[in-house]
C-alpha cells in the first residue's frame, strides 16, 4: 500500500505507519520463520534467514525514503534502485534485488530503468547504524540519503551499460533463487497451515 510520510515524522514513527498500513505487524515480520514471495497467485514460501532480516530492515526504510509502493511493481522498482544506489556488504540484498530487477524487466521495464537511473544519484542506508537512521526525521533522512539530483538526473551511457550488466547477472541469480525456492514450497505451505491452525485455536480459547 502506497503511503505518504510527513517530513517532520521520525523514521521510527514513519516505519510504524508503514508496518500498520501494510499489515506487517508490530515487528514488521522480522521474527517470522517463513516469508512469502508470490509468483502470481502462487505463494512461494522461503526461510526468513538472519541475512534476509538484516537486509529487509534497511529495505523497509528505503520504501519510506523513495516512495515506492509495496506492490509487485513497486518491489521491482526498489530492487533496481537499491542495486544502483549500492547494497554494500549485504549479500542477501544483492541476490534478492538482482533477481527482482530481472523480473521487473518483464513486468515494468521503463519504471525499473527509471528507478535504476534515480538510484545512481542516491545512496542506501545499508551499513548505517539503524537506531541513528530511525531517530532522523523523514525530511532529514531524505536530505542525507536521497540527494535531489538523483530524482532528476537523465540517463547516461554508463547507466545503460551498468543496467544491462546488472540484468544479465540478475537473470542468472533469478534462476538460481527459483531453483532453490521451489523445493521449499511444500514445507512452507505446511508451516503456514499449522501456523493458521494454531492462531485459530488461540482465538477460540
Amino acid at each position: 500500500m502506497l503511503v505518504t510520510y510527513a517530513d517532520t515524522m521520525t523514521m521510527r514513527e514513519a516505519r510504524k505507519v508503514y508496518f500498520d498500513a501494510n499489515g506487517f505487524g508490530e515487528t514488521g515480520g522480522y521474527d517470522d520463520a517463513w516469508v512469502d514471495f508470490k509468483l502470481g497467485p502462487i505463494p512461494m514460501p522461503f526461510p526468513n534467514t538472519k541475512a534476509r532480516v538484516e537486509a529487509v530492515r534497511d529495505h523497509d526504510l528505503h520504501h519510506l525514503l523513495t516512495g515506492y509502493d509495496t506492490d509487485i511493481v513497486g518491489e521491482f522498482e526498489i530492487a533496481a534502485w537499491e542495486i544502483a544506489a549500492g547494497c554494500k556488504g549485504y549479500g542477501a540484498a544483492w541476490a534478492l534485488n538482482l533477481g527482482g530487477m530481472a523480473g521487473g524487466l518483464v513486468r515494468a521495464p521503463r519504471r525499473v530503468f527509471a528507478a535504476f537511473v534515480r538510484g545512481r544519484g542516491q545512496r542506501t542506508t545499508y551499513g548505517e547504524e539503524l537506531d541513528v537512521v530511525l531517530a532522523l526525521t523523514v525530511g532529514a533522512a531524505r536530505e542525507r540519503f536521497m540527494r535531489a539530483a538523483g530524482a532528476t538526473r537523465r540517463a547516461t551511457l554508463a547507466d545503460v551499460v551498468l543496467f544491462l550488466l546488472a540484468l544479465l547477472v540478475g537473470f542468472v541469480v533469478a534462476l538460481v533463487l527459483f531453483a532453490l525456492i521451489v523445493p521449499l514450497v511444500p514445507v512452507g505451505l505446511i508451516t503456514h497451515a499449522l501456523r493458521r491452525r494454531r492462531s485459530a485455536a488461540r482465538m477460540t480459547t
Side-chain angles (χ1 to χ4, degrees):
M1 176 183 293
L2 186 60
V3 183
T4 57
Y5 308 95
D7 284 347
T8 54
M9 298 176 71
T10 66
M11 289 291 287
R12 191 181 302 277
E13 291 168 341
R15 189 179 66 169
K16 184 180 186 307
V17 173
Y18 166 83
F19 286 166
D20 292 343
N22 289 282
F24 292 160
E26 291 186 6
T27 64
Y30 300 154
D31 53 356
D32 290 348
W34 292 77
V35 293
D36 281 340
F37 170 76
K38 287 192 175 181
L39 188 62
I42 305 172
M44 306 282 284
F46 61 95
N48 193 21
T49 63
K50 180 182 178 181
R52 181 198 173 271
V53 171
E54 290 176 348
V56 82
R57 286 191 175 115
D58 286 288
H59 176 88
D60 286 338
L61 299 184
H62 297 154
H63 276 287
L64 308 182
L65 296 174
T66 63
Y68 292 130
D69 204 348
T70 53
D71 62 5
I72 187 65
V73 174
E75 292 296 347
F76 288 151
E77 287 178 304
I78 206 164
W81 181 86
E82 288 192 9
I83 289 297
C87 300
K88 298 184 181 176
Y90 289 71
W94 285 110
L96 293 171
N97 285 327
L98 283 166
M101 186 174 160
L105 185 67
V106 178
R107 181 69 178 269
R110 291 185 179 180
R111 289 174 61 174
V112 168
F113 179 65
F116 182 86
V117 172
R118 178 188 182 189
R120 289 266 289 154
Q122 299 173 338
R123 65 190 182 96
T124 65
T125 63
Y126 289 120
E128 301 288 334
E129 185 67 37
L130 181 62
D131 286 337
V132 172
V133 177
L134 289 174
L136 295 172
T137 64
V138 172
R142 284 177 175 158
E143 183 177 347
R144 178 173 175 178
F145 295 102
M146 304 303 292
R147 295 200 298 267
T152 57
R153 67 187 298 273
R154 300 181 64 178
T156 65
L157 178 59
D159 293 334
V160 174
V161 171
L162 289 172
F163 181 72
L164 293 175
L165 287 174
L167 284 176
L168 180 62
V169 176
F171 279 118
V172 174
V173 171
L175 289 173
V176 172
L177 289 175
F178 186 78
L180 291 173
I181 290 172
V182 167
L184 295 174
V185 171
V187 178
L189 292 175
I190 293 171
T191 301
H192 279 297
L194 292 174
R195 193 182 344 174
R196 286 195 297 268
R197 185 174 299 178
R198 286 195 297 267
S199 178
R202 285 196 296 268
M203 291 177 65
T204 57
T205 57

